[in-house]
Amino acid sequence: RRLATTVKAAAVASVAAPLLRRAGVGSKLAAIVPVPVESVRHVLELVSPISPDVMTDVATRAAPAVAGVARLARRYARSHVRYLVVRSVLRRVAREKTRRVEYAVRVAPIVAAYGVKKPLIKRKKLPSQRDAAWLAMHRWGSAEMRRVIA
């Protein structure tokens, strides 16, 4: 049984690897390692418990989502580059204010976490449980503040 599984995995890898390389590297490698779609379909029919038609249908339906994720990634990259440029300019122009704002932005989540945890810790009935919860919270808060300051 293991031998059959190994053979199936090798067959899938021998067909999938060139496809992945073709997608990742580009046209130079695609010209070197041509893989016809029919051979992929044939291997899928042999080793996959899922019908190749189902795989094709899933790929067709997933294509718009993949394209949407790619667009979102491009927008995020543009936005991040814009942020980095503005931040570097502000660090030169208004160094002290930028430093204060960046520090406040990094500290705000820690302070908010304390505000959220306070009522939860107050609900604990035993003082020893409350003390242990505060100790754990202070350990986390001090580690985060060390990271912010460093």
Side-chain angles (χ1 to χ4, degrees):
R1 186 174 187 153
R2 285 185 182 173
L3 180 61
T5 305
T6 305
V7 169
K8 288 179 183 178
V12 170
S14 68
V15 172
L19 290 174
L20 293 174
R21 273 189 255 129
R22 182 187 303 176
V25 175
S27 60
K28 290 180 185 174
L29 189 61
I32 297 169
V33 187
V35 176
V37 175
E38 284 306 313
S39 67
V40 174
R41 180 178 293 269
H42 180 68
V43 170
L44 282 176
E45 287 174 359
L46 290 175
V47 297
S48 178
I50 301 170
S51 164
D53 296 331
V54 172
M55 296 294 281
T56 305
D57 188 43
V58 168
T60 304
R61 289 176 189 232
V66 171
V69 169
R71 281 193 302 274
L72 183 64
R74 279 193 297 274
R75 287 182 193 152
Y76 174 78
R78 280 190 214 118
S79 175
H80 188 65
V81 166
R82 193 176 310 125
Y83 163 74
L84 292 175
V85 169
V86 168
R87 186 178 73 173
S88 66
V89 168
L90 286 176
R91 282 183 173 173
R92 303 256 188 266
V93 174
R95 177 173 293 200
E96 195 62 35
K97 284 195 180 226
T98 304
R99 187 172 175 206
R100 275 191 236 139
V101 168
E102 286 179 349
Y103 179 77
V105 166
R106 285 191 232 133
V107 170
I110 300 168
V111 173
Y114 270 91
V116 168
K117 271 300 217 185
K118 186 175 182 177
L120 297 174
I121 291 174
K122 279 186 175 182
R123 289 183 191 166
K124 297 191 183 289
K125 297 200 189 269
L126 297 175
S128 61
Q129 288 178 335
R130 285 193 298 269
D131 292 342
W134 276 120
L135 183 61
M137 186 68 189
H138 292 322
R139 278 192 198 131
W140 173 82
S142 64
E144 289 297 307
M145 284 304 294
R146 255 186 254 112
R147 187 182 58 78
V148 166
I149 292 169

